[in-house]
Amino acid sequence: MKIYLIGSLRNPLIPEIANKIREATGHEVFDDWFAPGPQADEFWRSYEIQRGRNYLEALEGHAAKNIFAFDKKHIDSSNMGVLVLPAGKSGHLELGYMIGQSKPGFILLEEPNPERFEVMHQFATGVYGDLETLIEVLKGIE
């Protein structure tokens, strides 16, 4: 089984969470998207602005197309997804894409009682307030 771990480049816990899931479940956990670091999106934006390109033009650039293809390849080859909050628009789109393909998609909350409640998280296969409970569920998926 391959799990696509979805989250924010700014969340320093992503590698630790990936390791815990990997060790506890024996599943492959894809988190290589995290390697560029917390400011990758800002650097890409600054670079494109220096080139005189706006957002719509930047989306058509080679860098954006390459990064998108890399992520999509691994999303498509994964059996399920786990969205680690906090996460932004991209992370929610990735989880929605996976769920739309009838793949299980789980959400790991920052805390069990977040400041903001989200009704649409009910699209997920499951929403969990702690990593240990989520891991037990993932162990049972073959």
Side-chain angles (χ1 to χ4, degrees), residues 9-29:
L9 287 167
R10 295 180 184 162
N11 186 344
L13 298 177
I14 293 296
E16 178 183 330
I17 291 169
N19 286 339
K20 286 181 179 179
I21 294 172
R22 199 176 286 118
E23 291 167 10
T25 65
H27 297 321
E28 177 183 354
V29 178

Side-chain angles (χ1 to χ4, degrees), residues 29-81:
V29 178
F30 182 81
D31 63 333
D32 288 17
W33 55 266
F34 189 77
Q39 294 183 327
D41 292 337
E42 288 81 5
F43 288 159
W44 171 59
R45 181 180 183 275
S46 293
Y47 170 72
E48 293 293 351
I49 288 172
Q50 285 177 339
R51 294 180 70 196
R53 297 172 82 179
N54 65 34
Y55 175 60
L56 296 176
E57 293 166 331
L59 282 175
E60 295 300 319
H62 293 292
K65 295 289 185 187
N66 185 52
I67 294 164
F68 177 79
F70 174 79
D71 288 350
K72 186 176 182 302
K73 171 187 171 186
H74 290 283
I75 291 169
D76 288 343
S77 68
S78 294
N79 305 97
M80 66 185 105

Side-chain angles (χ1 to χ4, degrees), residues 78-80 95-105 125:
S78 294
N79 305 97
M80 66 185 105
L95 184 69
Y97 175 76
M98 293 188 86
I99 291 169
Q101 292 181 321
S102 299
K103 295 179 181 182
T125 307

